[in-house]
Amino acid sequence: VADIERNLRAPLVGVARAAERIGAQFDAPRVALRTGDTSAADRRAQLRDPAEILVTTPESLYLILGSAQRETLRAVRWIVVDEVHALAATKRGAHLALSLERVAALCGERDPQRIGLSATARPVSEVARYLGGNRSVSIVDATGPPRLDLTISVPVQDMTKPGRAARVSFTPREPIWHEITLPARAAASGARSEPQASEVSELAPFKSRAPVGGADDPDTSLWPAIYPKLLEAIRAHRSTILFVNSRGLCERLARRLNELAEEELVRAHHGSIAHEQRRSIEEDLKAGRLRAIVATSSLELGIDMGAVDLVLMVESPGAVSRGLQRVGRAGHQVGAASRGLIFPKHRSDLLEATVVARGMRAGAVESLRVPHSPLDVLAQQLVAMAALDAWDVDALHALIRRSASFADCSREVLGSVLDMLAGRYPSADFAELRPRITWDRERDRIEARPGASKIALLSGGTIPDRGLYGVHLGADGPRVGELDEEMVHETRAGEVITLGASSWRVAEITRDRVIVNPAPGEMGKLPFWRGDGPGRPLELGRALGAFLRALETECLAEGGDLHAGRPRAEAWLAEHWDLDGYAARNLVDYVIEQREATGSLPTDRALTIERFRDELGDWRVCILTPFGARVHGPWALAIQARLAAEKATEVHALWNDDGIALRFPDADEPPPTSLFLPEPEEVRDQIVEQLDRSALFAGQFRENAARALLLPRWRPGGRTPLWSQRLRAQTLLSVARGFPSFPILLETYRSCLQDVFDLPALEDLL
């Protein structure tokens, strides 16, 4: 946001000077910035004398709508939504859509024009529907093949033998147990059996051969070969951004590069570093005081780094859209080419990176979809609206249905949410569920109860509280970052931690923050954060499977002899997939080893099921497909439900983007294959049955209840300890289960099945 505000000022100065040269009068519009960091004095000034252009965030717009400053919005004529694709498919976007309808209601008959901007929107029609709701939207499509100079770099001949790689084997100790070949018509969701060109978009595809323990550890495995290449690339360019997929790796890599460079060559930049620190790091890069930043998704969107001339990516970006946003930070000028280098961490990473790079060159961005009536977001906005005005329910219903996210919200669904907010449910059961509104059913009119406005402002927004502790320099000092709650529980006063590539000594740990002092030059333990890696989109999974199938065909072209077909396959990769010799050789070796071990590859038309005994003698079953965790997660739950129904042996299930791993302790034999392949007509009921008892469901319920203002904060900037939130949410959930139509219970099922999982894709696959 600050970047956009700054970049608006420069051209306004240029226009003013041009007008002065030709003797024309030009009254430059003033630009104001409103974020969570805007001071109270600046907010008062914006209320007294509004600027012509306001740069803000969805969360700050929501707060403006709940304050006296909302009166300044009555004069709004244009609303520009930058990076609209990043909002359309999320609850944050649904929340913004309702805020925009509230702005439109303030403006009366003069509905402000909305303008959405995106370089990676697909399908454009769905993004346009999100932007305009029930309004007519014009689409200006200026897309074309991206101007990219993109290279995949593999610095060694054999990625499995570069150093001290930790490895684990999932290779079965018997011949292939089972392979199922899908008919071509069922190979992909939908009617097409062949992937279209426009769609080319940790169990690894064959995790048995991927380095695991050392794959994310910058001190082992392939890293000794990657470090020199990274340092060489950084020093050969003016300014560089190095992207990784997790905050932990970001910190470790920044520290190691600085150690090897023997200077502060790079800084870490991610969402757990304080805003002021991140902004300072960005300014240092732009000013040339810093040669490179190691970043996560925190630098993907909306950051104009005009001086950056190289983007490095350590590991596959995990999606075509994500890769394009990252590499687009380099050469960020009209007509300039963006230069990027991708360094895969291991051979399964190389496999995905190859397919992602092809999709990036073609501009084959994955499609998105707008969430369908998230009821927690609706509840929050209803309280916020009632806190300011009394509303007729029919008028309220008409307003929310104008947004795409709630276009299908029925009067009955709205009534159920209003019932919840008005205290319909028994007070004896829902002791903590205090009414937020009053619903006069005779006049069909709602208004807020005392205190509702404060709750809506303090607990508003959609970003969930993940149990992060703020890290502060001194008891009353500035915030320098945040740590995962589990990390804090493993930390003691006196220990040194690394955050933002700087060392800090822990002075004290309170209920909601970690107090630190600088510890320059001391080695600190590296922090970790849970669940911050990207997931694989379904379209990328299909493209990856199609690529594996094609590569297998090339390997078998010489009479079925895999090794005889190696030269042909490597030449095909070099010619059609732009891989150098080392990359092509590693990929072909990877495929040949899997094919020799099991006789099959997990592709877009076939899945592979392996069984073997692990080091403890327990049976394990691995189901390998490329379709991603959003398909594998519900599949694993369905398997657990079927095994429970059959009263089969106990099972422990894990899943990720490349498959499902099942462990059967103390079993003489694993269950028959049929139990791992539910019928598509039955799988939904099996998943719903198992989902209710899962940790995922409990976590989603807690987040949804907090968004719906059922677990509110009570003081600005404070956070309720996660253990307390969990306890309150657990109590609420246990009571809500007795009322199947409770809106947040329904929303939790919806968000699990539609947002976290992709149930329709699983049904098509089965």
Side-chain angles (χ1 to χ4, degrees):
V1 175
D3 223 48
I4 293 174
E5 185 261 350
R6 181 172 51 250
N7 290 337
L8 275 172
R9 295 183 186 276
L12 288 175
V13 171
V15 172
R17 290 176 178 171
E20 184 180 349
R21 283 197 300 269
I22 64 175
Q25 182 177 354
F26 175 65
D27 295 324
R30 292 169 300 145
V31 180
L33 178 67
R34 171 66 187 267
T35 70
D37 298 309
T38 302
S39 68
D42 287 342
R43 293 198 298 270
R44 288 192 295 269
Q46 292 171 9
L47 173 61
R48 289 193 304 269
D49 187 15
E52 285 77 20
I53 300 174
L54 176 66
V55 183
T56 189
T57 64
E59 292 75 21
S60 291
L61 176 61
Y62 170 83
L63 294 177
I64 290 172
L65 284 165
S67 70
Q69 193 178 345
R70 74 173 182 146
E71 293 301 317
T72 66
L73 300 178
R74 295 185 185 276
V76 169
R77 295 179 60 189
W78 297 278
I79 299 173
V80 180
V81 183
D82 195 18
E83 306 287 9
V84 63
H85 68 278
L87 293 164
T90 67
K91 287 190 176 184
R92 189 180 185 218
H95 190 270
L96 173 63
L98 289 179
S99 291
L100 294 182
E101 295 303 337
R102 294 171 63 187
V103 173
L106 279 174
C107 294
E109 295 183 1
R110 188 181 47 76
D111 195 354
Q113 183 184 14
R114 303 179 188 182
I115 303 167
L117 307 174
S118 173
T120 54
R122 179 173 177 267
V124 178
S125 59
E126 180 74 351
V127 179
R129 186 175 74 88
Y130 163 76
L131 182 68
N134 63 1
R135 300 164 181 80
S136 174
V137 181
S138 299
I139 297 173
V140 181
D141 189 350
T143 57
R147 294 174 57 86
L148 301 180
D149 177 3
L150 186 63
T151 303
I152 296 176
S153 178
V154 176
V156 294
Q157 289 187 1
D158 187 346
M159 296 177 75
T160 66
K161 300 176 182 177
R164 307 186 309 278
R167 304 180 66 193
V168 63
S169 176
F170 279 173
T171 306
R173 299 177 186 175
E174 57 184 83
I176 178 69
W177 178 38
H178 201 81
E179 176 188 0
I180 297 165
T181 301
L182 307 180
R185 63 179 176 80
S189 300
R192 298 189 305 274
S193 60
E194 292 293 336
Q196 304 298 305
S198 63
E199 292 181 338
V200 176
S201 53
E202 270 170 359
L203 246 80
F206 350 114
K207 192 69 169 185
S208 44
R209 286 144 204 94
V212 185
D216 287 327
D217 185 354
D219 297 315
T220 63
S221 189
L222 194 61
W223 292 102
I226 292 180
Y227 291 138
K229 297 294 184 182
L230 295 176
L231 289 173
E232 178 184 350
I234 290 170
R235 284 175 166 153
H237 291 79
R238 184 171 58 252
S239 60
T240 301
I241 301 178
L242 196 166
F243 282 104
V244 296
N245 290 338
S246 68
R247 287 170 285 184
L249 180 56
C250 178
E251 289 283 351
R252 292 195 297 272
L253 193 52
R255 185 193 71 178
R256 190 69 176 129
L257 287 174
N258 286 336
E259 288 174 353
L260 294 174
E262 298 182 339
E263 60 174 313
E264 190 175 64
L265 188 70
V266 306
R267 294 285 302 277
H269 186 292
H270 53 74
S272 289
I273 295 175
H275 171 76
E276 295 79 7
Q277 293 277 331
R278 294 201 304 271
R279 186 167 182 178
S280 173
I281 292 169
E282 293 165 20
E283 293 301 323
D284 285 347
L285 185 74
K286 293 177 182 179
R289 295 186 293 269
L290 189 65
R291 294 295 293 274
I293 292 176
V294 184
T296 59
S297 57
S298 59
L299 277 181
E300 279 180 9
L301 300 177
I303 304 294
D304 185 7
M305 296 284 194
V308 171
D309 51 354
L310 177 67
V311 164
L312 303 172
M313 286 178 268
V314 172
E315 65 200 334
S316 164
V320 173
S321 56
R322 193 177 297 117
L324 286 173
Q325 288 288 349
R326 290 179 176 185
V327 78
R329 298 309 104 196
H332 201 63
Q333 303 93 18
V334 175
S338 299
R339 182 156 190 260
L341 284 171
I342 302 176
F343 289 86
K345 298 187 302 184
H346 44 74
R347 294 191 303 183
S348 63
D349 194 27
L350 169 61
L351 174 64
E352 183 178 274
T354 300
V355 180
V356 170
R358 165 67 71 87
M360 289 170 63
R361 294 186 182 100
V365 176
E366 297 85 6
S367 60
L368 56 80
R369 63 185 177 197
V370 174
H372 177 73
S373 297
L375 300 183
D376 51 346
V377 171
L378 178 59
Q380 182 185 133
Q381 287 278 14
L382 289 175
V383 173
M385 294 167 69
L388 297 167
D389 304 291
W391 282 84
D392 290 324
V393 175
D394 286 340
L396 199 63
H397 189 217
L399 182 145
I400 66 174
R401 282 175 58 91
R402 283 198 288 268
S403 70
S405 300
F406 298 93
D408 298 327
C409 181
S410 67
R411 184 65 163 74
E412 291 72 24
V413 169
L414 174 61
S416 72
V417 176
L418 293 175
D419 276 338
M420 178 186 72
L421 296 174
R424 169 195 170 192
Y425 291 91
S427 59
D429 295 329
F430 290 89
E432 290 196 10
L433 193 60
R434 300 177 186 176
R436 307 295 183 209
I437 64 172
T438 299
W439 186 1
D440 184 339
R441 296 173 190 271
E442 290 187 4
R443 295 189 299 161
D444 206 19
R445 193 169 177 82
I446 68 166
E447 58 186 27
R449 286 177 176 261
S453 176
K454 179 180 179 181
I455 290 172
L457 292 178
L458 291 180
S459 300
T462 59
I463 300 173
D465 187 346
R466 299 289 189 187
L468 299 173
Y469 276 63
V471 181
H472 291 259
L473 182 57
D476 300 315
R479 184 172 172 276
V480 298
E482 60 189 10
L483 295 174
D484 187 281
E485 188 167 43
E486 291 186 41
M487 167 76 180
V488 174
H489 287 172
E490 296 179 10
T491 302
R492 299 291 178 267
E495 291 184 341
V496 177
I497 61 172
T498 298
L499 188 61
S502 299
S503 295
W504 311 89
R505 186 178 303 280
V506 177
E508 183 185 1
I509 299 175
T510 69
R511 290 187 62 185
D512 60 356
R513 64 177 57 189
V514 178
I515 311 301
V516 298
N517 297 313
E522 296 193 42
M523 182 67 68
K525 70 177 183 179
L526 292 161
F528 60 81
W529 294 268
R530 300 299 185 192
D532 58 354
R536 178 183 298 154
L538 177 62
E539 286 143 303
L540 175 58
R542 291 176 182 156
L544 195 152
F547 168 70
L548 272 174
R549 179 162 48 84
L551 180 54
E552 181 181 28
T553 300
E554 295 296 327
C555 289
L556 295 172
E558 301 296 331
D561 185 336
L562 289 168
H563 293 281
R566 179 193 301 275
R568 175 190 175 99
E570 290 183 11
W572 178 75
L573 289 171
E575 179 180 357
H576 296 286
W577 294 83
D578 299 317
L579 295 184
D580 63 19
Y582 283 175
R585 181 180 307 169
N586 276 282
L587 208 47
V588 171
D589 285 346
Y590 191 38
V591 167
I592 287 176
E593 287 182 24
Q594 170 72 16
R595 192 66 165 67
E596 288 180 334
T598 65
S600 71
L601 298 178
T603 71
D604 59 333
R605 294 187 182 177
L607 60 90
T608 299
I609 305 179
E610 304 180 19
R611 71 172 179 180
F612 60 95
R613 287 192 182 273
D614 62 18
E615 292 80 357
L616 299 177
D618 293 330
W619 278 105
R620 297 219 182 198
V621 172
C622 292
I623 305 172
L624 306 179
T625 92
F627 296 116
R630 295 185 66 217
V631 172
H632 300 147
W635 189 352
L637 291 181
I639 291 172
Q640 290 177 312
R642 300 193 86 200
L643 291 171
E646 294 286 332
K647 294 182 171 56
T649 181
E650 179 185 5
V651 60
H652 300 155
L654 295 172
W655 64 84
N656 70 1
D657 281 336
D658 295 298
I660 304 168
L662 303 164
R663 176 170 169 256
F664 299 90
D666 303 322
D668 295 329
E669 287 289 333
T673 309
S674 58
L675 285 180
F676 303 131
L677 302 169
E679 294 298 325
E681 298 81 10
E682 302 172 359
V683 69
R684 182 179 295 266
D685 290 340
Q686 292 166 347
I687 292 168
V688 168
E689 174 190 343
Q690 193 71 15
L691 187 62
D692 182 61
R693 299 189 293 271
S694 68
L696 169 66
F697 190 87
Q700 286 285 308
F701 182 87
R702 176 176 64 83
E703 293 178 7
N704 294 339
R707 284 192 200 94
L709 308 181
L710 306 186
L711 304 173
R713 300 188 196 96
W714 295 104
R715 57 190 176 89
R719 62 177 293 272
T720 306
L722 195 59
W723 63 265
S724 177
Q725 293 182 44
R726 285 174 174 163
L727 185 61
R728 293 169 62 195
Q730 183 179 355
T731 302
L732 181 59
L733 177 57
S734 65
V735 175
R737 284 195 172 106
F739 300 85
S741 62
F742 187 67
I744 303 308
L745 198 64
L746 297 177
E747 171 56 24
T748 302
Y749 280 111
R750 188 210 65 81
S751 62
C752 286
L753 297 176
Q754 296 182 14
D755 299 345
V756 180
F757 294 153
D758 191 344
L759 187 55
L762 173 61
E763 292 171 332
D764 287 345
L765 174 64
L766 293 173

